[in-house]
């Protein structure tokens, strides 16, 4: 039960955990929703076109690409659910909110990419090689692949712009941002669209070699290669989401900046222990043992704790919870170089 307080009462329960001077929220979540919706719409249209071309031509690579796009479309649905479910407000049953549910649905999406995309592509490629059925009507397949490349490229460019903007904002390279970002949706769209563009090139090469040589082996090998590509993407995304589900800390640079900000409070002597956790794509928990000056009063420690939270929130709005535990320490001995490197 959430306790409701009057204006003159000190809040307790969840109300007391509300951030001090939270400030304006960023629009990363809305941008991620737009990225996911655009990717899903593009994948759905492409999946229908690829399926029609694959059935018409009999190409194993085209049917694998159709399975790839169908898997990506369903994946985008999972990612959209992740965004919506992860935004639910905290309650007494889930006092730290539902942010980690985003990681659950993103993990399911990665598994579906593995089973629905990679598994079908590899299986169908092998059966096509064994059956040695002849492909026909190559022109239609090339047309669909070209249109698909444009559509996938449009979705990829949006994800690329978001990744580029966020990496500049954090002052890191794109590769480091993609490795460390807790925004599983934009990461999934970026990798899936990259794999889709590469897969289209592989499918086109398989079809071209089959047409030139008359050997169906190349078409089947193209399908298998697409499956292996999807397996690699699924493995990368599943590993990242599993790490976040377990309770991954923030990047090392952010960890050190948090320690420095707390240590900059005048009455703070040291920060011997600093623990952080990603609670969701845009939510961070900070818990620290702090050595305060022995000569200050309890009231001054309370004021300093509030000031530390304000400073951290001002620099990083994603920090939603700050818990400081007064403890004994040694001046100059701070917990630095923690977090994810």
């Amino acid at each position: 039960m959430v306790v409701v307080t009057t204006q003159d009462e000190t809040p307790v329960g969840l109300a007391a955990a509300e951030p001090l001077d939270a400030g304006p929220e960023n629009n990363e979540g809305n941008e991620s929703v737009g990225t996911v919706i655009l990717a899903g719409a593009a994948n759905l249209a492409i999946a229908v076109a690829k399926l029609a071309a694959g059935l018409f031509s009999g190409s194993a690579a085209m049917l694998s690409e159709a399975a790839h796009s169908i898997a990506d479309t369903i994946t985008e649905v999972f990612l959209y659910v992740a965004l919506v479910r992860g935004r639910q407000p905290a309650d007494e049953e889930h006092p730290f909110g539902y942010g980690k549910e985003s990681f659950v649905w993103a993990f399911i999406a990665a598994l579906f990419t593995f089973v629905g995309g990679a598994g079908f592509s590899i299986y169908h490629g092998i059966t096509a090689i064994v059956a040695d059925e002849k492909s026909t009507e190559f022109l239609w397949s090339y047309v669909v692949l070209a249109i698909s490349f444009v559509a996938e490229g449009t979705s990829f460019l949006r994800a690329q712009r978001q990744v580029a903007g966020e990496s500049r904002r954090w002052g890191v390279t794109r590769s480091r941002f993609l490795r460390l970002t807790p925004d599983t949706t934009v990461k999934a769209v970026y990798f899936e669209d990259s794999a889709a563009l590469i897969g289209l090139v592989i499918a086109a090469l398989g079809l071209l070699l089959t047409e030139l040589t008359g050997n169906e082996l190349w078409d089947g090998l193209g399908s298998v290669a697409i499956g292996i590509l999807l397996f690699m993407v699924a493995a990368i995304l599943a590993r990242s989401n599993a790490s976040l589900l377990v309770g991954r800390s923030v990047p090392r640079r952010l960890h050190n900046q948090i320690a420095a900000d707390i240590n900059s409070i005048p009455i703070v002597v040291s920060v011997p222990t600093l623990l952080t956790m990603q609670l969701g794509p845009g939510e961070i928990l900070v818990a620290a043992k702090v050595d305060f000056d022995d000569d200050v009063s309890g009231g001054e420690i309370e004021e300093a704790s509030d000031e530390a939270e304000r400073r951290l929130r001002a620099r990083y709005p994603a920090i939603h919870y700050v818990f400081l535990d007064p403890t004994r320490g040694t001046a100059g001995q701070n917990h630095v170089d923690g977090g994810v490197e």
Side-chain angles (χ1 to χ4, degrees), residues 72-89:
D72 282 353
T73 302
I74 298 176
T75 294
E76 305 308 335
V77 174
F78 285 136
L79 294 177
Y80 181 79
V81 172
L83 286 170
V84 173
R85 296 286 299 173
R87 289 180 171 185
Q88 294 182 95

Side-chain angles (χ1 to χ4, degrees), residues 209-221:
L209 290 172
T210 298
E211 184 179 13
L212 293 176
T213 64
N215 190 342
E216 294 296 321
L217 172 67
W218 297 108
D219 188 41
L221 287 177

Side-chain angles (χ1 to χ4, degrees), residues 1-335:
M1 183 179 79
V2 178
V3 178
V4 179
T5 65
T6 65
Q7 188 173 5
D8 296 332
E9 293 177 330
T10 301
V12 296
L14 289 179
E18 288 296 316
L20 300 173
D21 301 333
E25 293 293 332
N26 56 50
N27 65 348
E28 291 178 39
N30 294 332
E31 190 175 4
S32 295
V33 170
T35 299
V36 169
I37 291 176
L38 177 61
N43 283 322
L44 179 59
I46 292 168
V48 174
K50 287 178 180 176
L51 182 60
L55 293 174
F56 188 61
S57 66
S59 168
M62 282 302 300
L63 288 174
S64 294
E65 272 297 302
H68 181 177
S69 294
I70 292 171
D72 282 353
T73 302
I74 298 176
T75 294
E76 305 308 335
V77 174
F78 285 136
L79 294 177
Y80 181 79
V81 172
L83 286 170
V84 173
R85 296 286 299 173
R87 289 180 171 185
Q88 294 182 95
D91 53 37
E92 289 292 345
E93 187 176 352
H94 298 86
F96 292 108
Y98 290 78
K100 282 186 177 292
E101 190 166 348
S102 298
F103 305 146
V104 174
W105 286 100
F107 184 77
I108 293 173
L111 292 181
F112 189 84
T113 298
F114 170 70
V115 176
F120 176 84
S121 297
I122 293 174
Y123 170 79
H124 189 67
I126 293 174
T127 55
I129 294 172
V130 174
D132 194 28
E133 296 179 354
K134 298 300 180 183
S135 300
T136 59
E137 303 297 337
F138 291 97
L139 178 60
W140 286 107
S141 295
Y142 292 137
V143 170
V144 170
L145 287 174
I147 295 173
S148 299
F149 195 90
V150 173
E152 292 283 7
T154 301
S155 175
F156 174 76
L157 287 176
R158 180 185 175 96
Q160 174 83 336
R161 283 196 297 269
Q162 185 174 353
V163 169
E166 290 300 309
S167 60
R168 283 196 301 270
R169 188 169 72 86
W170 288 99
V172 297
T173 62
R174 295 181 188 180
S175 60
R176 182 171 176 80
F177 171 79
L178 287 169
R179 184 169 65 87
L180 297 179
T181 179
D183 190 343
T184 54
T185 53
V186 68
K187 183 173 184 176
V189 171
Y190 184 91
F191 276 101
E192 287 169 3
D193 284 351
S194 299
L197 292 173
I198 296 173
L200 290 169
V201 174
I202 293 174
L205 287 174
L207 284 172
L208 180 61
L209 290 172
T210 298
E211 184 179 13
L212 293 176
T213 64
N215 190 342
E216 294 296 321
L217 172 67
W218 297 108
D219 188 41
L221 287 177
S223 179
V224 172
I226 292 169
I228 294 173
L229 177 65
L230 289 177
F231 172 79
M232 292 172 61
V233 170
I236 292 171
L237 295 176
R239 179 181 179 185
S240 174
N241 289 313
S243 175
L244 289 164
L245 275 171
V246 172
R248 198 182 73 188
S249 61
V250 300
R252 178 161 297 178
R253 191 176 71 174
L254 176 54
H255 173 103
N256 290 344
Q257 186 61 62
I258 291 172
D261 283 345
I262 297 174
N263 206 34
S264 67
I265 304 295
I267 66 171
V268 171
V269 176
S270 66
V271 184
T273 302
L274 174 60
L275 306 177
T276 62
M277 183 187 299
Q278 290 284 171
L279 297 176
E283 298 179 5
I284 297 172
L285 178 147
V286 175
K289 289 184 176 294
V290 181
D291 182 17
F292 292 96
D293 192 326
D294 295 335
D295 296 330
V296 301
S297 65
E300 290 176 293
I301 291 177
E302 292 173 354
E303 291 178 5
S305 297
D306 287 347
E307 175 61 21
E309 180 175 350
R310 290 190 184 93
R311 291 189 185 188
L312 294 178
R313 287 281 296 172
R315 187 186 295 272
Y316 301 110
I319 296 178
H320 280 214
Y321 301 95
V322 179
F323 301 104
L324 303 183
D325 177 22
T327 188
R328 290 190 178 276
T330 303
Q333 291 189 358
N334 299 302
H335 182 185

